[in-house]
Amino acid sequence: MSPPTGAPGPALTSPQLKKKSWRVGSCVSVSLYLSWREPAPSLLGAMLRSCTAGLRSLWALRGGREGVPRPSTDLQPAPRLFSAEKVIHKDWALPNPSWSKDLKLLFDQFMKKCEDGSWQRLPSYRHTSTQIREDFKTYFLEQKKVVKEGRLSQVQLFTRGFEDGLGFEYVIFSNNDEKRTVCLFQGGPYLEGKPGFLHGGAIAAIIDTALGSCATIPGKVVMTANLNINFKRPVPLCSVVVINSQLDKLEGRKLFTSCNVRSVDEKTLYSEATGA
């Protein structure tokens, strides 16, 4: 490969590659890696003018439509395209601005119960941890080839697939000694079924989540084999309910759980369910 031609500039050795970046227009960055000797300013300017002319032609071919930015000749430093900061996964079982007053109050009450160690709040993330995924591969061999490696980056928990306040807002507290959990749940507007009420499938999903958390108290890897729900009353949209779950018995590999879904004041019973 021959070095660029032009007037001699300061020599650069191979480890001293130098990058120069400019922004051309509003959405295109041009980066040049210069080595050996820098080209003459006239040659560099010609290269940039050629690039800008090409962008103008592309804009013209697209019809100069409204909303399509027209390339500019202004040269600006290119922004940083990456960050070396460590990615911190968001814990979705913490209060956010969409939480109602009732949900925040219940959360604070249970956090006080956690102070003596009898209760603990269970963190919740959008993506299943690598350890849990490997455990499932061990116990459920047919799961090994269900998700292709290239799609794993797109996988996320169903109940955490909505933005704040739109879908499932919940937090689960666990008491291992009493073998029970309490799920505080607020269903958002994207979970509507009949006008003004939560969809029955959304209630079933959060019940399955609550019972599943209770079933993991013994430290086993579990999947739902049976779920029976008796719907007593419809749950108003965006209201807060309390799901009390109990681990009833353990028979070999089977765990039997039960729960009820009640209003915050415990006066209204919305649903009852059993799972195995």
Side-chain angles (χ1 to χ4, degrees):
M1 179 176 179
S2 300
T5 60
L12 294 175
T13 60
S14 181
Q16 297 175 317
L17 293 180
K18 186 175 181 181
K19 179 180 179 181
K20 288 191 174 182
S21 301
W22 298 265
R23 176 171 291 278
V24 181
S26 59
C27 60
V28 179
S29 293
V30 177
S31 299
L32 299 178
Y33 286 89
L34 306 179
S35 62
W36 290 284
R37 295 178 182 277
E38 290 189 351
S42 59
L43 176 60
L44 183 58
M47 293 170 65
L48 292 175
R49 286 193 295 273
S50 176
C51 180
T52 303
L55 291 174
R56 285 202 193 97
S57 299
L58 178 60
W59 184 80
L61 289 173
R62 295 175 68 178
R65 298 189 302 273
E66 182 178 357
V68 177
R70 180 167 186 167
S72 169
T73 56
D74 295 335
L75 300 181
Q76 304 172 1
R80 292 181 62 185
L81 301 180
F82 66 91
S83 173
E85 296 180 2
K86 182 178 179 180
V87 176
I88 300 176
H89 295 287
K90 176 181 177 180
D91 184 350
W92 291 80
L94 291 173
N96 66 63
S98 73
W99 282 26
S100 66
K101 181 179 179 181
D102 286 340
L103 186 55
K104 291 178 181 177
L105 180 61
L106 287 171
F107 177 85
D108 291 340
Q109 291 175 357
F110 271 91
M111 287 301 293
K112 288 187 178 295
K113 292 183 179 182
C114 293
E115 293 177 357
D116 63 3
S118 58
W119 288 84
Q120 61 176 331
R121 182 187 66 85
L122 303 182
S124 180
Y125 306 99
R126 274 188 170 171
H127 304 281
T128 303
S129 69
T130 302
Q131 182 59 52
I132 294 177
R133 197 172 294 279
E134 290 301 318
D135 289 342
F136 267 82
K137 287 182 179 180
T138 300
Y139 288 92
F140 304 98
L141 299 180
E142 66 274 12
Q143 294 293 315
K144 288 188 175 181
K145 296 183 179 180
V146 169
V147 180
K148 296 181 179 180
E149 292 298 328
R151 302 295 297 275
L152 284 178
S153 61
Q154 299 175 318
V155 173
Q156 63 182 15
L157 291 177
F158 168 64
T159 53
R160 293 302 186 190
F162 299 86
E163 295 303 318
D164 289 346
L166 298 180
F168 296 85
E169 292 293 337
Y170 67 96
V171 56
I172 298 177
F173 292 89
S174 175
N175 188 316
N176 291 353
D177 292 335
E178 298 180 7
K179 293 181 173 57
R180 69 188 186 98
T181 61
V182 173
C183 175
L184 312 177
F185 168 62
Q186 174 183 296
Y190 281 19
L191 304 183
E192 186 180 52
K194 296 299 181 182
F197 296 98
L198 290 179
H199 194 286
I203 296 295
I206 195 63
I207 286 176
D208 187 38
T209 299
L211 290 178
S213 296
C214 187
T216 60
I217 289 178
K220 296 181 179 292
V221 177
V222 298
M223 288 187 70
T224 304
N226 184 277
L227 180 62
N228 295 303
I229 303 175
N230 291 320
F231 295 97
K232 304 291 187 179
R233 291 179 177 81
V235 179
L237 196 65
C238 299
S239 65
V240 177
V241 298
V242 180
I243 307 173
N244 289 281
S245 303
Q246 181 76 39
L247 179 58
D248 297 323
K249 61 180 179 178
L250 175 61
E251 292 182 355
R253 294 179 57 190
K254 293 184 178 180
L255 297 98
F256 296 85
T257 57
S258 61
C259 76
N260 59 71
V261 182
R262 293 182 178 274
S263 58
V264 173
D265 59 11
E266 299 186 351
K267 293 181 179 180
T268 305
L269 175 64
Y270 292 112
S271 303
E272 292 179 319
T274 58

